Amino acid sequence: MIMRAARRLFVPSRTLARYMVRMHLSRFFGILLGLTVILQMLDLLAAADDVMAADGATWVSILVYVSLRAPQLITLFLPFAALLATILTLATLNQSSEVTVMKASGLSSHRILLPLGIASFIIGIAHFTFNETIVVDANAELKYWQDNDYAVNLPPNAKLTGRVWLTDDDSIVLVEAVSTVRNRVVLDRVSIFERDDLGRTQAMIKADFAWYQNGEWTLHEVRRFDAETHLLSVTPTIRWNTPTRPERFLALTVNPDHVPFGELWRSMKQLEQEGLPTDRMMTSFLQKIAAPASTLLMPILAALAAFGVSRAGGIVLRSVFGVALGFSFFVADNFMLAMGEFGVAPPFLAAWAPFFLFLLVGYTVIFYTEEGRPNLKPASSTAPANKLETTK
């Protein structure tokens, strides 16, 4: 009984909630499909020449490119599709006077928007799951394919990552790529710059690759140039005395867009144990949650299309204002994300400040709409009676 009373307090009618959720989701999937198809065609026109330029490329290469690129487009424009679907749903309900009927039955603005909030919550959960299961793998595979000029019959992606700079005691180490071969970490094209106590370079060591085995690093095909004697020595293999473990190299080369939630968290913890800064990765970590959560804002930002008397052209202007409000949120979100990745803004502020700012803006808009404000004027029915008493 208590649960039923609590449910009726927020969702007084299951039929109404199902009706609005079904209406919102049908429009959402239709808009998302349309946006994805149009943007995929435009993107394919720009990339088709590069894909087909590879030796042995066929129409299968085009299908592979579409299968890897489409998840990126879906996750990029999913919140905007949710905004358009919410505006279209509320505008339709307002134009057919269904919102007026809901208000006349005693429903507040929050209770009208709650079914759309439930639909947005479902979309947000699906967005997060889609990112962690499909998008991260598609991002990694597409980047690997693009780095190899869309070559046909590429070997499986060994999770090859970009270059790494780090300080090892008095030396500076540059690794061009880090890969995993048979569960072992391999460093490709290693350069070591040995320095003295004053920071001057004493020698430079170059190796084709480094292999970690039995708790130690081994450099292969080593060439050492001594800056003082100008002598160049070549050695097949030498032992590399460095305390840096493979986990540190892997953590330094993690691309947040290419790894799931849990792996990114473990990489940050590894860097924290090494005493290295993790602000950039923490920003991306929090953004993995904030981006799907942005769909919860869409009913609030689009509420202007629902509340207010429907006049000629008024609903169109309110819908346009709702789209502009949502677009402003996406601009602010991308701006703060860039500030966080560059280390200008704290990670939590960079990921969540746009969300809470536009949450406040959305509630302000709801409060100041024509039907959202409380009516403080006296009832018109009492005016004749007061006038009659004055006459008497």
Side-chain angles (χ1 to χ4, degrees):
M1 293 295 295
I2 297 177
M3 294 296 296
R4 181 176 299 179
R7 179 186 61 79
R8 288 183 177 179
L9 179 63
F10 296 100
V11 185
S13 173
R14 288 185 178 180
T15 303
L16 178 62
R18 285 196 296 265
Y19 170 69
M20 295 182 66
V21 169
R22 184 169 59 249
M23 179 184 295
H24 180 270
L25 292 179
S26 62
R27 284 161 173 76
F28 165 74
F29 285 113
I31 293 174
L32 181 61
L33 179 62
L35 281 176
T36 303
V37 170
I38 293 173
L39 294 171
Q40 181 65 80
M41 291 177 62
L42 296 176
D43 180 77
L44 190 59
L45 290 175
D49 292 340
D50 296 333
V51 175
M52 298 303 295
D55 294 336
T58 61
W59 60 273
V60 178
S61 301
I62 297 294
L63 293 181
V64 173
Y65 177 81
V66 171
S67 66
L68 296 178
R69 181 62 174 147
Q72 296 181 350
L73 297 177
I74 291 174
T75 192
L76 182 62
F77 290 95
L78 189 147
F80 194 71
L83 173 67
L84 295 179
T86 306
I87 290 177
L88 183 59
T89 300
L90 293 177
T92 303
L93 293 174
N94 191 8
Q95 193 172 17
S96 58
S97 300
E98 291 176 89
V99 173
T100 304
V101 174
M102 297 177 196
K103 298 285 286 187
S105 63
L107 296 182
S108 63
S109 302
H110 295 86
R111 298 172 78 183
I112 294 175
L113 294 176
L114 184 60
L116 299 184
I118 295 174
S120 298
F121 180 77
I122 296 173
I123 294 173
I125 295 296
H127 188 191
F128 179 81
T129 306
F130 181 71
N131 283 343
E132 297 302 300
T133 56
I134 297 177
V135 177
V136 292
D137 293 334
N139 289 339
E141 291 296 330
L142 183 59
K143 183 64 169 59
Y144 174 66
W145 196 25
Q146 289 174 340
D147 291 342
N148 290 274
D149 298 326
Y150 302 102
V152 180
N153 297 325
L154 273 177
N157 186 3
K159 295 185 178 180
L160 191 69
T161 56
R163 59 168 51 188
V164 177
W165 287 91
L166 59 90
T167 302
D168 182 19
D169 293 333
D170 293 332
S171 302
I172 297 178
V173 180
L174 169 62
V175 180
E176 293 294 337
V178 182
S179 60
T180 304
V181 179
R182 297 177 182 177
N183 296 325
R184 294 181 180 178
V185 176
V186 178
L187 310 181
D188 189 24
R189 299 190 299 278
V190 181
S191 300
I192 305 172
F193 302 90
E194 297 180 348
R195 300 182 300 174
D196 57 16
D197 296 336
L198 299 177
R200 296 175 299 187
T201 302
Q202 290 182 323
M204 183 177 69
I205 300 175
K206 281 186 173 291
D208 288 349
F209 65 94
W211 182 271
Y212 187 82
Q213 189 175 14
N214 297 328
E216 63 180 21
W217 288 99
T218 303
L219 298 174
H220 296 264
E221 302 299 329
V222 183
R223 299 168 298 279
R224 186 179 189 275
F225 176 77
D226 195 311
E228 295 181 357
T229 62
H230 294 182
L231 293 179
L232 177 65
S233 59
V234 179
T235 308
T237 60
I238 63 172
R239 180 180 176 182
W240 183 19
N241 295 319
T242 176
T244 305
R245 296 185 58 81
E247 292 81 4
R248 182 177 181 184
F249 287 103
L250 293 174
L252 286 171
T253 56
V254 165
N255 188 332
D257 294 333
H258 297 172
V259 295
F261 195 77
E263 185 175 345
L264 182 58
W265 175 260
R266 289 189 294 270
S267 299
M268 287 193 302
K269 288 301 180 183
Q270 177 65 33
L271 292 179
E272 288 179 356
Q273 293 177 1
E274 299 285 345
L276 299 176
T278 59
D279 288 348
R280 181 184 64 85
M281 298 180 67
M282 179 58 74
T283 301
S284 301
F285 178 81
L286 294 176
Q287 185 65 19
K288 284 180 173 287
I289 305 175
S294 64
T295 56
L296 297 176
L297 277 179
M298 299 305 113
I300 298 175
L301 298 182
L304 193 62
F307 307 124
V309 179
S310 180
R311 299 186 178 93
I315 192 171
V316 176
L317 293 177
R318 292 197 302 272
S319 299
V320 171
F321 184 80
V323 173
L325 197 61
F327 184 77
S328 300
F329 165 75
F330 297 127
V331 172
D333 186 57
N334 290 329
F335 175 78
M336 290 302 298
L337 179 61
M339 293 298 99
E341 291 179 347
F342 281 108
V344 178
F348 184 84
L349 186 66
W352 288 101
F355 181 90
F356 291 110
L357 174 62
F358 279 84
L359 180 66
L360 178 62
V361 171
Y363 270 109
T364 303
V365 170
I366 293 177
F367 182 78
Y368 280 101
T369 50
E370 185 173 350
E371 291 186 4
R373 290 176 295 177
N375 187 8
L376 300 179
K377 297 181 180 180
S380 59
S381 59
T382 61
N386 294 337
K387 184 176 181 181
L388 181 60
E389 292 177 359
T390 306
T391 304
K392 291 181 179 181

